[in-house]
Amino acid sequence: MTTAATAGTARPIGIFDSGIGGLTVARAVAQRLPHERLVYFGDTAHLPYGEKSTAAIQAYSIKICDVLLRQHCKLILIACNSASAAAYELVREYVGSKAQVVGMIDPVVQHVGRHYAGRPVGLIGTKQTVGSNIYRKKIDQLDLGVDLHALATPLLVPMIEEGFFNGRVSEEIIRAYLDHPTLHGIDALLLACTHFPLIKPQMEAHYQGSVAVLDPSDVVATTVAEALAARQLLAAPAETAPAHHFYVSDFTRSFEESTRIFFGQEVQLEHYPLWE
Ligand code: DGL
């Protein structure tokens, strides 16, 4: 007899990020797919990925995939642009047929192609994401005339991690970046870092409607839903809410306290060292 568990629909969705920033994407997935159980891994021991080498991010990503595969995840979502830029292809190869893999970049590139053909679009992200040039390469491959203006904004992740948003300090930093000549004349700004949805309202206030600020979380959550539906792997509705698990490779109370801001509710973080 084929049960839901043997068919794989009851297996969880694995999500990882360098820390708790990816909880903004996890939140969108939980809203879009309320019956799915999530296993989240935040590699807080190695934060920030945005300043790390490609080789280091690849090694961390593979280690995390081992953890998620041991939890029988049916799909692994790389909820970090820096890791998607550095390790998406490697993770796909490594995971093979054991799970589907979704990254942050391809769904968003498709979205930009559909809505901004022939128009100037800005992008902000970490040094790793912008330096990899991966968004430009993929957007250029679409051949739809999207003119990408990419700027690394390394101060924004530590600023958000330290709780500096919705205030004067963050306003000044955001203004300094958004007024940078690289971003002049854009029609839309792509938030290519999973921390940035938290400062989306401040960016919208800065632009006052003249530039659309694109938070990719919902687009990526839709891609996850479509990928699972295509393989008939969507979880069946249940009467009780799914029990999500949240792991971090290094634990501090401040991470746990910040989960409310990123996930919309405080979650209990479990310590799971990557290297013993
Ligand atoms: N959340 C990561 C991203 O989307 C950035 C944080 C980091 O540098 O680790 O790129």
Side-chain angles (χ1 to χ4, degrees), residues 33-55:
L33 297 167
H35 306 300
E36 298 291 342
R37 186 158 59 89
L38 308 182
V39 176
Y40 183 90
F41 195 100
D43 191 9
T44 47
H46 299 119
L47 186 89
Y49 277 11
E51 308 287 317
K52 298 283 187 305
S53 69
T54 298

Side-chain angles (χ1 to χ4, degrees), residues 16-273:
F16 77 90
D17 176 45
S18 56
I20 53 177
L23 286 172
T24 57
V25 190
R27 178 186 194 168
V29 172
Q31 279 166 355
R32 180 77 169 71
L33 297 167
H35 306 300
E36 298 291 342
R37 186 158 59 89
L38 308 182
V39 176
Y40 183 90
F41 195 100
D43 191 9
T44 47
H46 299 119
L47 186 89
Y49 277 11
E51 308 287 317
K52 298 283 187 305
S53 69
T54 298
I57 298 172
Q58 288 179 338
Y60 306 147
S61 299
I62 294 300
K63 269 277 186 200
I64 296 167
C65 285
D66 281 337
V67 175
L68 297 176
L69 290 174
R70 275 203 295 276
Q71 306 266 341
H72 307 291
C73 291
K74 57 188 170 187
L75 182 145
I76 293 178
L77 168 58
I78 309 177
C80 173
N81 286 268
S82 309
S84 298
Y88 173 70
E89 295 300 338
L90 183 75
V91 164
R92 271 190 57 174
E93 247 175 69
Y94 184 76
V95 168
S97 60
K98 294 188 211 86
Q100 289 171 280
V101 178
V102 174
M104 294 300 295
I105 298 167
D106 291 317
V108 177
V109 165
Q110 294 301 326
H111 178 83
V112 167
R114 269 196 303 276
H115 297 277
Y116 292 95
R119 294 165 68 184
V121 172
L123 175 149
I124 52 173
T126 64
K127 284 184 195 166
Q128 165 63 228
T129 300
V130 173
S132 74
N133 230 2
I134 186 93
Y135 274 97
R136 185 179 307 285
K137 279 182 215 146
K138 294 205 171 202
I139 282 178
D140 286 351
Q141 273 164 16
L142 294 177
D143 203 16
L144 290 170
V146 176
D147 178 18
L148 192 72
H149 301 230
L151 180 71
T153 54
L155 274 183
L156 296 183
V157 168
M159 179 190 92
I160 293 167
E161 292 274 336
E162 291 299 324
F164 281 96
F165 50 95
N166 294 331
R168 277 206 2 253
V169 172
S170 55
E171 224 172 270
E172 282 298 319
I173 296 174
I174 289 168
R175 180 173 333 133
Y177 278 136
L178 299 190
D179 285 345
H180 192 281
T182 304
L183 298 178
H184 281 177
I186 55 173
D187 286 355
L189 178 71
L190 177 56
L191 305 185
C193 174
T194 54
H195 280 67
F196 296 173
L198 292 182
I199 48 173
K200 184 181 176 199
Q202 281 182 282
M203 299 201 188
E204 285 175 328
H206 175 85
Y207 284 126
Q208 299 196 348
S210 62
V211 171
V213 181
L214 308 178
D215 167 8
S217 313
D218 290 332
V219 173
V220 171
T222 300
T223 301
V224 169
E226 287 168 357
L228 290 176
R231 301 241 179 125
Q232 273 119 45
L233 282 174
L234 284 169
E239 276 170 22
T240 50
H244 306 316
H245 274 84
F246 299 87
Y247 298 103
V248 282
S249 51
D250 187 27
F251 179 83
T252 68
R253 273 295 300 158
S254 71
F255 281 133
E256 194 160 71
E257 280 154 16
S258 302
T259 57
R260 179 182 294 282
I261 305 165
F262 287 85
F263 196 63
Q265 67 190 76
E266 195 162 319
V267 297
Q268 206 189 332
L269 300 178
E270 298 172 46
H271 187 204
Y272 194 124

